Amino acid sequence: MRLRNGKRQTVEERPKDVAAAPGPAVELRGVQRRYGRGAGTVHALAGVDLTLARGTFTAVMGPSGSGKSTFLQCAAGLDRPTSGSVVLGGTEITGMSEDKLTELRRSRVGFVFQAFNLLPSLTVEQNVLLPVRLAGRRQDRRRAAEVLAQVGLADKARRRPGELSGGQQQRVAVARALVTGPDVIFADEPTGALDTGTAAEVLGLLRNAVDTLGATVVMVTHDPAAAAWADRVLFLADGAFADHLEQGSAQQIAARMAVLTSRTGAMAGAAA
């Protein structure tokens, strides 16, 4: 439970049929991801070890080509590492069958992407409940109303995505990510398509989900202002974590990124 503005926040319960497993939310152990063979092999991840506690907000940053997207895909079970292991909510997922992995992602992982990925033919409520429907579970309209209220869209349940602004559509995506009470929410550049003010509103929702709902958020971003909402920023370079910063300001994060980018560029130049 976190104190914010001097007031104790109340942690709301997960849906009754979703139980939180003990232990960390995410664990990566010696994770490597290689693409190609021989001289053309690309080492996207070069042995990542990471443990993320529940109820935390982590931002991942790095220069272009540092492995950010590959990290998120492996951590979320969207891609399989070449070696090493990934544990989500206490469950080892590395050797899971594709069917079991799909089932786990639908019920225990939430996703928020830069492209909102809403189905235009469905209502807002139906989009929010889509992970529940795909998982073959009972669609609880009260739960949909609850998460829509949490993101400030209680009156938009019957609307179609095309009737909403970009910021509102991303709020629907956040509600969809929250609806199953997931072990972890992975956000990939969630504010990349939004203006500064709307981005702050969406980031505030993710921050609030951590502070008041006990959610765990892992966000890949290129924006220091977005990363400043996180508890911790991890910096990737050449497929490995090279630095971190606890509760840094946007200015501190930008300065750290500039140093890392300069160092990475100098090493690439020397190698050439």
Side-chain angles (χ1 to χ4, degrees):
M1 190 174 295
R2 179 184 295 267
L3 293 177
R4 185 158 290 250
N5 298 327
K7 297 181 180 180
R8 184 175 293 274
Q9 302 281 4
T10 301
V11 178
E12 299 181 21
E13 293 182 354
R14 288 176 167 219
K16 293 182 180 179
D17 58 344
V18 180
V26 184
E27 291 181 272
L28 280 72
R29 304 167 184 157
V31 170
Q32 298 185 33
R33 185 65 173 99
R34 297 186 297 274
Y35 299 98
R37 293 183 179 180
T41 300
V42 175
H43 296 268
L45 294 179
V48 169
D49 291 292
L50 178 66
T51 300
L52 298 178
R54 294 177 182 276
T56 58
F57 190 164
T58 303
V60 178
M61 300 188 73
S64 178
S66 61
K68 299 187 300 296
S69 294
T70 303
F71 160 77
L72 185 141
Q73 290 165 4
C74 287
L78 297 171
D79 191 11
R80 295 183 185 272
T82 306
S83 61
S85 67
V86 178
V87 180
L88 276 181
T91 301
E92 166 69 62
I93 70 170
T94 316
M96 270 189 175
S97 69
E98 196 57 44
D99 287 346
K100 289 289 185 183
L101 200 52
T102 299
E103 181 182 341
L104 179 140
R105 287 195 301 263
R106 288 172 177 169
S107 61
R108 293 173 54 189
V109 181
F111 294 98
V112 183
F113 299 102
Q114 178 174 338
F116 315 128
N117 290 355
L118 302 178
L119 296 182
S121 62
L122 301 183
T123 66
V124 164
E125 178 186 70
Q126 290 168 336
N127 269 284
V128 168
L129 288 173
L130 189 58
V132 180
R133 175 184 173 186
L134 293 174
R137 290 163 46 194
R138 182 175 63 88
Q139 298 181 60
D140 187 343
R141 296 183 64 184
R142 287 178 300 178
R143 174 61 179 163
E146 178 185 334
V147 293
L148 282 171
Q150 287 167 2
V151 301
L153 295 176
D155 60 339
K156 306 295 184 186
R158 299 291 182 271
R159 299 286 184 88
R160 306 281 177 180
E163 300 176 77
L164 305 181
S165 68
Q168 289 173 327
Q169 290 186 59
Q170 194 63 301
R171 284 171 175 262
V172 175
V174 172
R176 181 182 58 194
L178 290 169
V179 73
T180 60
D183 288 299
V184 59
I185 295 170
F186 290 99
D188 189 3
E189 300 283 5
T191 60
L194 305 177
D195 62 67
T196 302
T198 306
E201 293 175 0
V202 170
L203 290 163
L205 292 175
L206 293 175
R207 178 75 261 177
N208 188 64
V210 174
D211 292 344
T212 67
L213 305 180
T216 305
V217 175
V218 181
M219 175 179 70
V220 167
T221 182
H222 71 281
D223 183 2
W229 288 80
D231 301 308
R232 178 169 61 154
V233 184
L234 303 177
F235 297 91
L236 265 173
D238 298 322
F241 288 112
D243 200 357
H244 73 279
L245 187 61
E246 305 290 332
Q247 297 182 327
S249 67
Q251 292 76 17
Q252 290 171 322
I253 295 166
R256 197 70 64 93
M257 265 298 297
V259 170
L260 184 63
T261 303
S262 175
R263 186 188 309 159
T264 303
M267 291 176 64

